[in-house]
Amino acid sequence: MDGVLNPTDYGGGAWADPYTFTHLCGSTADGIRCQGGICMINCSSNNELYSFHPAGVNVGFVDGSVHFLKESIDPHIVVSLITRAGGEIVSADQY
């Protein structure tokens, strides 16, 4: 949604806006190319997890806890953490 009534085909990720969405794309390590790269954290601020913390990013989980995800995390683990109905079980030592 564009904030009123018209649907859009892109996200935006505005905080607490029920009509918005965002997606992770994964970029190349140099941050130049998006879509299909294996870098999920701190390579680009365009559709990926990004912070100014060295070596990772703080992420709020649905249970209200905050965890630090390392830049070296396996992309499959990131996907497991953000999918709602995948049924994956991820332990804290994996991120």
Side-chain angles (χ1 to χ4, degrees), residues 1-57:
M1 303 295 281
D2 66 0
V4 185
L5 296 174
N6 300 319
T8 62
D9 62 354
Y10 57 88
W15 183 84
D17 182 349
Y19 301 111
T20 192
F21 66 93
T22 188
H23 67 279
L24 294 179
C25 88
S27 70
T28 54
D30 57 12
I32 294 173
R33 187 172 158 259
C34 189
Q35 301 291 58
I38 61 168
C39 186
M40 304 293 271
I41 297 175
N42 286 348
C43 288
S44 169
S45 61
N46 184 17
N47 291 326
E48 79 170 48
L49 300 170
Y50 187 81
S51 76
F52 293 105
H53 299 292
V57 62

Side-chain angles (χ1 to χ4, degrees), residues 23-95:
H23 67 279
L24 294 179
C25 88
S27 70
T28 54
D30 57 12
I32 294 173
R33 187 172 158 259
C34 189
Q35 301 291 58
I38 61 168
C39 186
M40 304 293 271
I41 297 175
N42 286 348
C43 288
S44 169
S45 61
N46 184 17
N47 291 326
E48 79 170 48
L49 300 170
Y50 187 81
S51 76
F52 293 105
H53 299 292
V57 62
N58 286 313
V59 176
F61 281 42
V62 177
D63 66 359
S65 63
V66 176
H67 298 269
F68 187 77
L69 301 184
K70 297 178 246 177
E71 288 176 350
S72 60
I73 192 170
D74 183 318
H76 295 96
I77 300 299
V78 175
V79 171
S80 296
L81 290 170
I82 64 171
T83 54
R84 180 175 59 105
E88 302 93 343
I89 297 174
V90 178
S91 62
D93 64 339
Q94 292 179 286
Y95 54 84

